[in-house]
Amino acid sequence: MSFQITTEKIALFNPSTVKFALIVVGIYFFYGSYGVFKEKLTRRTYDGEKFYLTNTLMFLECVCNAIAALIAMRVTNTALKSKTPQTDFALVSISYFGSAMASNYSLREISYPTQVVTKSCKAVPIMVANLILGRESYSLEKWIAVLSIIAGIIVFTLNTQAEESHQSKLFGLFLVFVSLSLDGVTGTTQSKIKKATDPSAYHYMFFMNFYSCLFLSFSFIASGELYKIGGFITQYPDAFLHLCFYALSSAFGQIFIFLAFKAYGAVRLALITATRKFFTLLVSFVVFGHHFNLPIAFGIGLVGIGIYLEKHSDEKKSVDKKSDKKN
């Protein structure tokens, strides 16, 4: 008796599943590294002095992201010229740049774990903005899935970070709210551009970061950080290494981010980035043998249910689209 096993029969090895898994792993790894170096730069001190050059962080990040996009276009033989109007890229870069600035400045007021918990709700403002601005509709199952994942992440994170004392200042939380609102505008605008002209992932990445660099250059120079950064990294070489790793992690991470957006859309991308912190903490708990309590188990259960419902909702939507085309 012979057995023939094909990749089509094993869902785990379908090309689409492998592609999704690789993108998720790329986002988890590089943005995990990004978060580590961002915390090192913004939360620690260098011989008692804090790294306070927020504009420098953003400017360096955008420059490296734009360069990485250009290299990716060269490697994939993608032409720099895009049929998408430059005004569209410039407009979406404003909300992207504003969200990142609000997020970075919020870390002066609130802790990094608090920011992670609040930013995990990113999918909701994107969906709401899509409803209002993009005129998209979502099934009840999709809403339940998204809210279940978000609730699970919040419950899990708050209980795993319970030993830390967090004093969240109101202004810091307001900045995170501003960042989330702008994320919603960014996701909706990107979805509109995708429907209209469908640019490549690397066009999104290059032009958004290119225009963000232009906007940032004014505050970078006006704040005097252009002249301060040289002295700081000369005095503290560790900060220079952290900046380099931070920028490289961001560049590689953004490649996977825009590949995910191109393939799966803004809402699923928001859920992927939201669950990254959850799975990082979950692995830490398993590896280091931390104690699981009921709230943590409940949070894990909510995320698991949400992921299943979200996948089922997308599969059902795909089947419905195929049946509509046949009819």
Side-chain angles (χ1 to χ4, degrees):
M1 182 182 290
S2 63
F3 296 93
Q4 289 185 343
I5 300 176
T6 63
T7 55
E8 287 76 21
K9 291 182 179 179
I10 304 177
L12 284 175
F13 296 101
N14 282 343
S16 60
T17 306
V18 173
K19 177 184 175 181
F20 179 74
L22 289 174
I23 288 175
V24 169
V25 169
I27 291 173
Y28 281 15
F29 176 77
F30 288 112
Y31 270 94
S33 304
Y34 171 88
V36 168
F37 290 109
K38 186 173 186 177
E39 253 192 299
K40 282 182 180 292
L41 285 163
T42 58
R43 304 301 296 178
R44 65 163 284 180
T45 58
Y46 297 90
D47 292 338
E49 187 175 356
K50 290 195 70 173
F51 184 88
Y52 57 92
L53 307 174
T54 307
N55 290 310
T56 301
L57 276 183
M58 274 294 299
F59 187 77
L60 179 64
E61 182 179 342
C62 290
V63 168
C64 286
N65 291 346
I67 293 171
L70 282 175
I71 294 171
M73 280 193 273
R74 184 65 181 267
V75 170
T76 57
N77 292 318
T78 304
L80 178 60
K81 188 176 180 180
S82 172
K83 58 184 177 181
T84 304
Q86 290 300 302
T87 50
D88 288 352
F89 285 125
L91 286 172
V92 76
S93 69
I94 291 173
S95 56
Y96 162 73
F97 155 75
S99 172
M101 288 297 288
S103 180
N104 281 339
Y105 275 102
S106 72
L107 286 174
R108 295 184 178 185
E109 305 291 332
I110 61 175
S111 66
Y112 185 70
T114 302
Q115 188 198 67
V116 168
V117 170
T118 48
K119 288 282 282 183
S120 68
C121 304
K122 184 188 289 188
V124 172
I126 290 174
M127 291 174 74
V128 171
N130 279 340
L131 280 172
I132 298 170
L133 303 175
R135 297 180 181 176
E136 289 191 25
S137 60
Y138 300 97
S139 65
L140 178 61
E141 186 178 35
K142 185 79 170 183
W143 280 106
I144 293 173
V146 171
L147 293 175
S148 177
I149 291 172
I150 290 169
I153 292 170
I154 291 172
V155 170
F156 183 88
T157 307
L158 288 177
N159 281 278
T160 55
Q161 303 287 343
E163 71 277 6
E164 296 182 20
S165 59
H166 304 315
Q167 289 188 336
S168 300
K169 296 181 182 179
L170 189 60
F171 183 63
L173 294 174
F174 169 74
L175 288 174
V176 175
F177 172 76
V178 170
S179 178
L180 283 171
S181 301
L182 291 172
D183 282 337
V185 175
T186 300
T188 303
T189 310
Q190 285 177 330
S191 298
K192 281 187 172 183
I193 294 172
K194 184 179 179 182
K195 284 182 179 179
T197 55
D198 197 24
S200 73
Y202 305 124
H203 282 123
Y204 275 116
M205 183 174 172
F206 173 74
F207 287 110
M208 280 181 59
N209 284 287
F210 172 75
Y211 285 112
S212 294
C213 284
L214 292 182
F215 300 141
L216 268 166
S217 61
F218 295 106
S219 60
F220 184 49
I221 295 169
S223 64
E225 291 189 19
L226 175 63
Y227 314 104
K228 295 175 184 175
I229 183 61
F232 194 93
I233 61 177
T234 301
Q235 188 174 357
Y236 307 111
D238 284 354
F240 176 71
L241 287 176
H242 294 157
L243 276 171
C244 289
F245 285 122
Y246 168 84
L248 287 172
S249 299
S250 172
F252 283 107
Q254 254 204 18
I255 288 174
F256 286 99
I257 285 287
F258 282 103
L259 288 174
F261 170 74
K262 175 76 173 173
Y264 311 112
V267 175
R268 175 167 280 194
L269 170 59
L271 292 177
I272 292 171
T273 55
T275 53
R276 178 192 61 78
K277 180 67 175 181
F278 165 80
F279 283 110
T280 302
L281 289 172
L282 182 60
V283 169
S284 173
F285 261 60
V286 173
V287 171
F288 295 105
H290 294 300
H291 175 68
F292 279 86
N293 56 32
L294 187 60
I296 289 173
F298 180 64
I300 293 171
L302 282 175
V303 172
I305 292 169
I307 290 172
Y308 171 78
L309 290 175
E310 200 269 338
K311 187 174 184 296
H312 183 265
S313 172
D314 282 356
E315 287 175 349
K316 185 179 177 183
K317 188 176 180 180
S318 178
V319 170
D320 289 342
K321 280 184 177 179
K322 287 179 181 178
S323 62
D324 288 342
K325 286 181 180 179
K326 288 180 180 179
N327 296 332

